[in-house]
């Protein structure tokens, strides 16, 4: 693994700085209920009440604590790359508040401390106690690594030790697991930060126990009198597929249920497969990965197609206008992809990580850093969002905040830790893998010795990437540099140069290997073919039959009403679209836009006040269509948006 990576990229630093300077401070105000017109968070207030510093009732969702934890995790990553004494002081005060709310035995959850102190650990299916604990643990590890301060880490360890005392297969222990997976991957991080094997064993217990018979959630539901946290009165038995507890995890082959819970669990499974050498767990991860990415993923990297349960539905069911594609789910997919890369460096994992990052994740946040999408559709008709009950989850504009605000702080923590996703290093094989082409400086410990690497990248607008190799000693170092060949190269072979001269390379699992004895200042040029492509969907994706989408490099494009008028459904690509690209400055901040020849049905050709269906041939006119990067949609006036467009091609 890399010891230190810092992002130095013209494109991405705009967003990492936006998170540091705007998003993190804005979200702190939101957590304190100081954003006018935004849904209240209650998060800080709940901790103050639990700590005995204020009187009142618990406010918000049962998992409200997790919003503060994710904010602190983002702060930890941010401070690691850019010290900020004032931000650190604010975070330290928040950590003091969290510590004051922790019970003597290590338990920490403001909902149960304030509202139902006698019902701790009695509703694991609904109540998110372990989920909140997991996010606190992740925050603690990030803050410790970013600042060297142990207070939050010690709080998290006390909480983890308490959980270890409560759960397990020993006498008097609960043989349960969380309804919303998160604790599993967090405990792996705590193990890696502390070296304490008990945290790894506890993570493995939660994974191994899930889905075993008799099912814990069914038994717990009976003990509760068949009640639910969310619904008054007697309820139906729990849907075990919803939180992936219908089968032992090693027997699961198809992604089902709540998408965020699924990919958080899959990420932990991949971690444990790697650390424990568990081949059956590894095989399960591979099968689940293929199902998610080949049959249940949007072209934007979104997953979880239905708003009913924020869930996967079934293979190839990927509607555009009712898509859910929750931001958190794509972030979880990025987590899963990175862990699959640690299991084995295969370009398909990095391709998906890149797709989700550049499109679904980045598109969920406005350019001002103060408005967010929870849902990321591929088609928007604003009137339907307001008037159709089945589409009200689809918003034509980003929101200031949410009552369930899991997504905004999740974006902040991912972008603040972007440096962790660019490379991996295999010390024994003396190989450095470049997964994402994001300008950066990195240092690696290889058996060949410590190595520094500097990458420059012009993505996503140009395919030019270069590396400068800087072995720390003056002596040459022999190692391999493995460069991902992106799937969007469309079969073209990227050009490689070493010290300005063309060089050959071998490919393995989608990576170009450059193996040599490197000297101080050696330069590698990597020219990626970058041109607009028309993508077509699998025939079983009925929503996209007869349609195409634009992609250029890692970016998926969309049409907006602001450029093309309405209705977008009346537009179609010409059989020969004559694609053109140009860089355009303006309200979108500067981006490559795509233009194409097409047609539009003339509304004037339809008789006014006529019947809705007539045996007429509508008049069609030529139109020059314009597409913008999907991640930038919704940053102008509200209007229609569509990723997929009808085409005259078969």
């Amino acid at each position: 693994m890399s010891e230190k990576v810092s992002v130095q990229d013209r494109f991405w630093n705009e967003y990492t700085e936006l998170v540091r300077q705007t998003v993190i401070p804005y979200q702190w105000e939101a957590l304190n209920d100081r954003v006018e017109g935004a849904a209240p968070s209650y998060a800080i207030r709940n901790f103050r009440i639990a700590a005995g510093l204020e009187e009142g009732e618990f406010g918000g969702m049962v998992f409200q604590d997790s919003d503060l934890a994710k904010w602190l995790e983002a702060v930890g990553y941010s401070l690691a790359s850019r010290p900020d004494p004032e931000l650190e002081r604010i975070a330290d005060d928040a950590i003091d508040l969290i510590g004051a709310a922790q019970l003597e035995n290590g338990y920490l959850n403001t909902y149960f401390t304030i509202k139902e102190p006698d019902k701790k650990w009695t509703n694991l299916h609904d109540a998110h106690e372990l989920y909140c604990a997991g996010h606190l643990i992740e925050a603690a590890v990030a803050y410790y690594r970013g600042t060297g301060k142990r207070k939050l880490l010690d709080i998290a360890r006390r909480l983890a030790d308490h959980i270890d005392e409560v759960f397990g297969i020993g006498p008097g222990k609960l043989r349960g697991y969380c309804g919303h997976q998160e604790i599993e991957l967090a405990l792996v991080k705590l193990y890696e930060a502390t070296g304490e094997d008990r945290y790894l064993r506890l993570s493995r217990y939660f994974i191994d126990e899930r889905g075993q018979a008799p099912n814990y959630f069914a038994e717990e539901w009976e003990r509760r009198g068949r009640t639910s946290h969310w619904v008054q009165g007697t309820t139906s038995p729990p849907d075990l597929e919803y939180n992936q507890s219908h089968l032992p995890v090693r027997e699961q082959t198809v992604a089902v249920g709540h998408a965020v819970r699924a990919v958080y669990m899959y990420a932990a499974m991949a971690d444990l497969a790697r650390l424990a050498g568990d081949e059956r767990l590894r095989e399960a991860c591979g099968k689940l990965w293929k199902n998610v990415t080949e049959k249940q993923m949007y072209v934007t990297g979104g997953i979880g197609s239905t708003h009913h349960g924020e869930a996967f539905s079934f293979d190839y069911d990927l509607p555009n206008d009712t898509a859910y594609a929750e931001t958190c789910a794509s972030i979880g997919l990025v987590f899963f992809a990175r862990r699959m890369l640690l299991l084995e460096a295969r370009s398909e994992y990095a391709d998906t990580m890149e797709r989700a990052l550049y499109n679904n994740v980045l598109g969920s946040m406005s350019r001002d850093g103060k408005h967010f999408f929870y849902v990321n559709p591929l088609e928007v008709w604003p009137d339907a969002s307001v008037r159709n009950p089945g589409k009200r989850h689809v918003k034509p504009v980003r929101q200031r905040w949410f009552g369930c605000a899991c997504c905004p702080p999740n974006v902040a923590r991912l972008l603040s830790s972007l440096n962790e996703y660019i490379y991996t290093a295999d010390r024994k094989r003396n190989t450095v893998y470049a997964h994402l082409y994001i300008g950066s400086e990195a240092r690696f410990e290889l058996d060949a010795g410590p190595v520094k690497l500097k990458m420059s990248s012009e993505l996503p607008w140009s395919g030019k990437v270069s590396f400068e190799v800087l072995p720390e000693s003056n002596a040459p170092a022999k190692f391999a540099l493995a460069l991902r060949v992106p799937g969007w190269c469309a079969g073209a072979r990227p050009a490689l140069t070493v010290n300005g001269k063309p060089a050959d390379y071998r490919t393995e699992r989608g990576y170009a290997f450059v193996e040599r004895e490197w000297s101080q200042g050696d330069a590698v040029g990597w020219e990626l073919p970058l041109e607009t492509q028309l993508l077509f969907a699998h025939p079983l994706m009925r929503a996209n039959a007869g349609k195409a989408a634009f992609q250029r490099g890692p970016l998926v494009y969309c049409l907006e009403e602001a450029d093309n008028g309405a209705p977008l459904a009346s537009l179609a690509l010409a059989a020969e679209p004559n694609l053109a690209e140009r860089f355009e400055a303006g309200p979108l901040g500067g981006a490559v836009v795509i233009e194409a020849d097409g047609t539009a049905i003339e509304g004037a050709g339809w008789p006014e006040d006529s019947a809705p269906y007539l045996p007429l041939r509508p008049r069609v006119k030529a139109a020059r269509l314009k597409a913008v990067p999907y991640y930038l949609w919704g940053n102008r006036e509200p209007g229609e948006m569509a990723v997929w467009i009808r085409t005259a091609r078969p």
Side-chain angles (χ1 to χ4, degrees):
M1 294 293 295
S2 59
E3 287 190 350
K4 178 71 175 177
V5 179
S6 61
V7 175
Q8 298 177 12
D9 185 271
R10 184 186 305 176
F11 179 83
W12 281 105
N13 276 136
E14 178 181 344
Y15 291 95
T16 57
E17 282 300 292
L18 183 65
V19 168
R20 186 181 71 84
Q21 296 181 11
T22 300
V23 178
I24 287 175
Y26 176 81
Q27 293 187 359
W28 177 246
E29 294 300 298
L31 292 170
N32 283 277
D33 305 324
R34 296 194 292 250
V35 175
E36 185 177 352
S41 166
Y42 304 106
I44 296 297
R45 183 172 177 270
N46 287 339
F47 274 99
R48 289 185 57 80
I49 294 169
L53 302 176
E54 188 175 320
E55 293 186 356
E57 297 182 356
F58 179 89
M61 300 286 190
V62 69
F63 46 79
Q64 212 70 20
D65 290 4
S66 63
D67 290 351
L68 176 58
K70 281 183 278 190
W71 181 83
L72 279 168
E73 186 180 352
V75 171
Y77 294 133
S78 180
L79 292 174
S81 61
R82 188 83 170 262
D84 184 332
E86 178 59 18
L87 178 60
E88 188 170 340
R89 182 195 64 77
I90 292 171
D92 286 345
D93 288 346
I95 291 167
D96 289 342
L97 179 60
I98 291 171
Q102 188 170 32
L103 302 185
E104 188 173 343
N105 66 355
Y107 183 86
L108 181 57
N109 185 287
T110 66
Y111 174 86
F112 286 96
T113 297
I114 297 169
K115 194 166 185 176
E116 295 188 295
D118 298 328
K119 293 187 177 181
K120 301 179 184 73
W121 309 127
T122 61
N123 189 348
L124 299 180
H125 184 269
D126 298 333
H128 289 67
E129 285 166 281
L130 290 169
Y131 169 84
C132 290
H135 276 303
L136 184 76
I137 290 168
E138 287 201 83
V141 171
Y143 201 76
Y144 169 64
R145 287 176 171 163
T147 66
K149 294 181 176 179
R150 296 190 58 91
K151 183 165 187 176
L152 188 58
L153 186 67
D154 290 340
I155 291 169
R157 292 184 69 174
R158 288 183 60 208
L159 174 57
D161 291 344
H162 171 68
I163 293 169
D164 194 29
E165 291 173 358
V166 171
F167 292 92
I169 59 175
K173 290 195 172 188
L174 278 179
R175 293 195 64 167
Y177 37 85
C178 193
H180 193 312
Q181 301 91 308
E182 154 62 35
I183 186 70
E184 299 87 351
L185 63 87
L187 286 167
V188 172
K189 287 188 175 182
L190 189 59
Y191 157 74
E192 291 175 334
T194 65
E196 293 284 352
D197 288 338
R198 65 181 183 276
Y199 300 134
L200 190 64
R201 288 195 299 269
L202 184 57
S203 175
R204 189 176 179 89
Y205 158 77
F206 284 129
I207 288 293
D208 289 346
E209 189 69 15
R210 194 172 207 88
Q212 299 291 341
N215 189 279
Y216 180 83
F217 290 143
E219 292 186 330
E220 181 191 66
W221 174 71
E222 292 283 0
R223 287 196 299 270
R224 285 199 314 272
R226 302 186 173 187
T227 62
S228 165
H229 174 83
W230 305 106
V231 181
Q232 295 295 318
T234 304
T235 61
S236 300
D239 177 0
L240 302 181
E241 285 193 349
Y242 178 69
N243 47 36
Q244 299 80 38
S245 61
H246 58 300
L247 288 170
V249 299
R250 290 167 182 78
E251 299 175 21
Q252 297 186 29
T253 59
V254 174
V256 297
H258 189 273
V260 180
R261 301 172 198 231
V263 285
Y264 280 11
M265 182 180 82
Y266 304 159
M269 289 166 60
D271 269 339
L272 292 169
R274 171 176 54 89
L275 293 169
D278 189 325
E279 192 57 35
R280 285 195 64 206
L281 206 53
R282 181 186 182 124
E283 289 175 2
C285 288
K287 291 175 182 177
L288 290 164
W289 174 269
K290 285 183 69 66
N291 180 256
V292 170
T293 60
E294 295 181 7
K295 297 182 179 180
Q296 299 203 70
M297 182 180 73
Y298 284 100
V299 70
T300 54
I303 57 173
S305 61
T306 175
H307 69 282
H308 295 287
E310 305 177 322
F312 295 104
S313 54
F314 59 94
D315 290 355
Y316 302 114
D317 179 44
L318 295 166
N320 298 313
D321 58 343
T322 59
Y324 203 74
E326 182 184 343
T327 302
C328 285
S330 277
I331 290 171
L333 182 61
V334 170
F335 296 163
F336 185 25
R338 179 177 179 271
R339 286 159 173 83
M340 292 299 285
L341 283 167
L342 290 172
L343 270 173
E344 182 183 23
R346 301 184 70 90
S347 62
E348 65 188 84
Y349 305 141
D351 281 347
T352 296
M353 184 165 69
E354 180 184 68
R355 181 178 298 278
L357 186 62
Y358 274 90
N359 298 290
N360 211 77
V361 175
L362 199 56
S364 71
M365 181 173 66
S366 66
R367 294 189 65 245
D368 68 4
K370 297 180 179 180
H371 299 81
F372 305 89
F373 281 136
Y374 193 107
V375 173
N376 296 276
L378 282 79
E379 182 179 324
V380 172
W381 181 9
D383 286 348
S385 297
V386 174
R387 300 177 182 180
N388 184 337
K391 296 183 180 180
R392 285 180 184 159
H393 62 286
V394 175
K395 305 298 183 187
V397 294
R398 295 172 179 83
Q399 308 296 296
R400 288 177 178 269
W401 201 249
F402 306 93
C404 174
C406 51
C407 296
N410 227 352
V411 173
R413 69 173 179 144
L414 176 61
L415 294 185
S416 296
S417 60
L418 186 62
N419 58 312
E420 296 187 356
Y421 297 85
I422 301 172
Y423 306 95
T424 58
D426 187 327
R427 179 166 185 162
K428 292 182 179 179
R429 294 185 65 188
N430 278 316
T431 301
V432 175
Y433 294 89
H435 305 301
L436 298 176
Y437 296 115
I438 295 175
S440 51
E441 289 191 3
R443 182 184 185 277
F444 307 94
E445 285 287 350
L446 302 175
D447 280 354
V451 173
K452 287 184 178 179
L453 197 64
K454 183 175 182 179
M455 187 202 312
S456 299
S457 171
E458 296 183 15
L459 282 173
W461 313 126
S462 165
K464 292 182 179 180
V465 182
S466 62
F467 297 85
E468 185 178 2
V469 183
L470 303 166
E472 286 201 349
S473 66
N474 289 325
K478 187 175 183 179
F479 66 93
L481 183 59
L483 309 176
R484 178 174 62 98
V485 180
W488 45 260
C489 286
R493 186 174 174 86
L496 177 75
T497 60
V498 177
N499 296 329
K501 298 179 180 179
D504 198 12
Y505 55 86
R506 66 178 178 87
T507 56
E508 180 182 328
R509 300 186 306 276
Y511 285 81
F513 281 76
V514 191
E515 300 171 274
R516 57 179 278 138
E517 194 170 72
W518 300 93
S519 298
Q520 192 75 217
D522 278 348
V524 176
W526 186 233
E527 185 78 28
L528 299 169
L530 189 61
E531 61 182 27
T532 300
Q533 303 171 19
L534 285 179
L535 301 184
F536 295 85
H538 191 287
L540 292 179
M541 291 185 193
R542 298 182 180 218
N544 299 329
K547 295 182 178 181
F550 297 105
Q551 179 171 304
R552 184 178 185 274
L555 298 180
V556 173
Y557 279 66
C558 67
L559 275 63
E560 286 197 274
E561 181 180 340
D563 302 308
N564 301 281
L568 294 181
S570 73
L571 304 178
L573 276 171
E576 296 297 332
N578 297 316
L579 301 175
E581 309 166 353
R582 60 183 173 83
F583 192 85
E584 183 180 279
L588 295 180
V592 171
V593 300
I594 297 169
E595 292 184 340
D597 285 342
T599 60
I601 298 173
E602 288 190 289
W606 199 267
E608 189 174 352
D609 296 327
S610 69
Y613 311 105
L614 293 173
L616 297 175
R617 182 181 182 88
R619 286 192 291 183
V620 175
K621 64 179 180 180
R624 188 66 174 164
L625 310 181
K626 177 181 173 182
V628 300
Y630 175 82
Y631 79 89
L632 288 171
W633 88 269
N635 279 284
R636 295 175 287 180
E637 63 270 22
E640 294 186 24
M641 181 276 292
V643 169
W644 293 92
I645 180 172
R646 292 184 300 114
T647 175
R649 293 188 177 190

